[in-house]
Amino acid sequence: MMLKVFFFTLCIYLPHALANAHDEAEGPSQEYRVLKQLALNSGIKAAVVVKEGGHLIGRPFQVELRVRCEGASSDVLQWPVHDSFSVCDMSPESVKVNRQMTAVALKAKVADLAHYDQQINDSASDPEVRCHKQTHIKKFSLKSLCPKP
């Protein structure tokens, strides 16, 4: 009976342990790049972070606004994601904060989804993703980031 319990526990625990070991081996810091860190009022800290591997097809970059309301963690990757969006391409040096410290913006390009859809309709085996040439301004609001006590 003890042998059955041991194998049952092993079958439950082993996949979880292997998944965690794989995640730790890859290291999240290799995937992310911190573009800008902000010190806001009342000790609130925020960071604009970019990660390769976006939410949607044709948008390979995921831009995140991470926020630390309280706590001592200085590792930006440990802060919770407050907001995010995916883009086709972006300009990392374009990240700017307005004077009132109420918004952060950056220049980004969106995917040409019409071109992508046309390739799918034409039965392309490996559709090419391309970005529009025109840039757009994407913004994150810095208002009401943390709940008030």
Side-chain angles (χ1 to χ4, degrees):
M1 181 65 176
M2 284 299 278
L3 191 58
K4 287 181 181 179
V5 170
F6 172 74
F7 281 118
F8 176 76
T9 306
L10 184 65
C11 289
I12 297 297
Y13 175 73
L14 188 59
H16 177 71
L18 289 175
N20 283 343
H22 177 71
D23 288 345
E24 290 171 7
E26 283 185 359
S29 61
Q30 296 172 354
E31 298 177 17
Y32 287 87
R33 180 174 167 197
V34 178
L35 300 181
K36 188 157 200 88
Q37 289 193 41
L38 308 163
L40 305 171
N41 58 354
S42 305
I44 298 171
K45 295 197 176 200
V48 177
V49 178
V50 67
K51 171 187 169 187
E52 240 183 280
H55 298 117
L56 304 170
I57 293 174
R59 299 175 188 173
F61 299 101
Q62 178 177 320
V63 184
E64 300 174 342
L65 177 66
R66 291 177 173 252
V67 179
R68 185 187 84 180
C69 295
E70 55 187 42
S73 177
S74 61
D75 183 11
V76 172
L77 300 181
Q78 299 298 318
W79 300 354
V81 176
H82 181 74
D83 195 4
S84 68
F85 54 79
S86 292
V87 296
C88 184
D89 196 9
M90 57 170 294
S91 175
E93 63 276 353
S94 71
V95 178
K96 305 285 184 219
V97 181
N98 65 354
R99 291 181 190 172
Q100 298 83 14
M101 298 285 287
T102 58
V104 62
L106 64 108
K107 292 180 183 177
K109 293 181 181 179
V110 297
D112 185 350
L113 296 178
H115 173 71
Y116 187 82
D117 288 341
Q118 183 60 44
Q119 292 178 76
I120 297 292
N121 290 337
D122 293 341
S123 301
S125 62
D126 192 18
E128 173 190 301
V129 176
R130 70 179 184 196
C131 302
H132 281 288
K133 292 182 181 182
Q134 180 182 8
T135 59
H136 298 277
I137 303 295
K138 295 287 203 173
K139 296 179 184 178
F140 287 119
S141 174
L142 298 175
K143 296 179 183 177
S144 305
L145 294 176
C146 299
K148 296 189 181 189

